[in-house]
């Protein structure tokens, strides 16, 4: 089975493909000829996930899933949230985003945060959503070289290392995206059983 993953982010495509069974192959936006940057203009993570899936359905007529993820930091009143990828500007530079977060948290004692992912699946004319959340804290400096985005500064609760210090397999078992994708897979298995 093939399904479109409505993202241009190659890191996300690689990470999610590793979580899926071999018989489920992801097609990227480039694979279906979608070379535009799909708008993400809604005020919520769920809204942006739905917007991306709707775009693929409306413009390409393909069943697909999309996701949007945000880092929500308590001391920053939920920021960067829906703006996580472009927090330091439209260039979407992960290092600049991390620098901005660390700068804003410099004098904060509460460093609690959570990653939230919403997966939107459009299948056979119906939209379904799946959510994954992982709670943690923001480190005062980067640690680790794996993962991407804010992984070097996010330490999930119950662990002494950041996402960037974990193997892909370890991270995928507990991450926000891993939880949401597992819910997606459970749903796909339930309707194909």
């Amino acid at each position: 089975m093939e399904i479109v993953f409505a993202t241009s982010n190659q890191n996300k495509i690689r990470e999610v493909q590793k979580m899926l069974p071999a018989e489920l192959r992801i097609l990227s936006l480039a694979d279906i000829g979608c070379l535009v940057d799909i708008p993400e203009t809604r005020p919520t993570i769920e809204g942006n996930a739905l917007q991306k899936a709707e775009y693929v359905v409306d413009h390409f007529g393909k069943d697909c899933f999309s996701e949007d993820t945000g880092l929500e930091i308590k001391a920053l009143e939920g920021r960067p949230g829906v703006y996580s990828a472009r927090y330091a500007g439209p260039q979407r530079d992960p290092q600049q985003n991390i620098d901005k977060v660390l700068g804003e948290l410099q004098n904060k004692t509460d460093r609690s945060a959570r990653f939230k992912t919403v997966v939107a699946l459009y299948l056979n004319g119906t939209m379904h959503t799946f959510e994954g959340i992982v709670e943690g804290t923001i480190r005062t400096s980067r640690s680790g070289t794996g993962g991407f985005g804010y992984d070097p500064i996010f330490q999930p609760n119950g662990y002494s290392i950041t996402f960037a210090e974990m193997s892909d397999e370890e991270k995928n078992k507990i991450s926000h995206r891993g939880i949401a994708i597992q819910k997606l897979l459970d749903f796909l298995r339930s309707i194909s059983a």
Side-chain angles (χ1 to χ4, degrees):
M1 177 184 176
E2 291 183 337
I3 191 164
V4 177
F5 182 10
T7 185
S8 299
N9 185 322
Q10 292 302 311
N11 289 315
K12 288 182 180 180
I13 290 171
R14 276 192 297 276
E15 185 173 274
V16 170
Q17 186 65 68
K18 287 180 181 179
M19 295 182 226
L20 300 177
E23 63 271 13
L24 186 58
R25 186 172 155 263
I26 290 178
L27 297 176
S28 70
L29 290 174
D31 292 334
I32 63 167
C34 180
L35 304 177
V36 301
D37 195 13
I38 297 176
E40 296 178 54
T41 58
R42 300 205 178 144
T44 64
I45 291 167
E46 181 178 60
N48 280 339
L50 291 167
Q51 184 176 22
K52 289 183 272 190
E54 289 164 356
Y55 185 94
V56 170
V57 171
D58 291 347
H59 291 82
F60 296 91
K62 302 234 181 236
D63 285 343
C64 68
F65 71 95
S66 62
E67 67 86 50
D68 198 42
T69 294
L71 175 64
E72 300 173 336
I73 301 171
K74 188 174 179 183
L76 301 182
E77 299 171 347
R79 292 189 318 273
V82 73
Y83 302 105
S84 292
R86 53 194 181 280
Y87 195 47
Q91 68 278 9
R92 296 174 177 247
D93 183 280
Q95 300 311 316
Q96 291 176 8
N97 290 337
I98 288 174
D99 289 342
K100 183 172 181 177
V101 163
L102 293 177
E104 290 181 344
L105 286 176
Q106 200 162 14
N107 298 314
K108 307 283 187 190
T109 53
D110 183 355
R111 301 179 77 85
S112 59
R114 70 180 193 167
F115 266 122
K116 177 180 178 180
T117 292
V118 176
V119 172
L121 169 69
Y122 186 90
L123 188 65
N124 302 323
T126 305
M127 191 72 75
H128 309 271
T129 58
F130 311 93
E131 183 180 271
I133 292 175
V134 63
E135 304 283 344
T137 57
I138 302 299
R139 289 271 194 92
T140 56
S141 62
R142 293 168 176 81
S143 189
T145 57
F148 60 97
Y150 296 95
D151 287 356
I153 60 169
F154 185 83
Q155 179 179 313
N157 288 348
Y159 290 81
S160 59
I161 59 175
T162 66
F163 273 164
E165 294 174 285
M166 295 181 178
S167 68
D168 289 343
E169 294 74 25
E170 187 176 11
K171 178 188 168 190
N172 290 342
K173 284 180 190 170
I174 64 162
S175 77
H176 46 293
R177 190 171 292 110
I179 293 166
I181 293 295
Q182 189 57 56
K183 290 178 181 177
L184 167 69
L185 289 176
D186 292 345
F187 175 77
L188 291 173
R189 287 190 192 105
S190 75
I191 61 170
S192 64

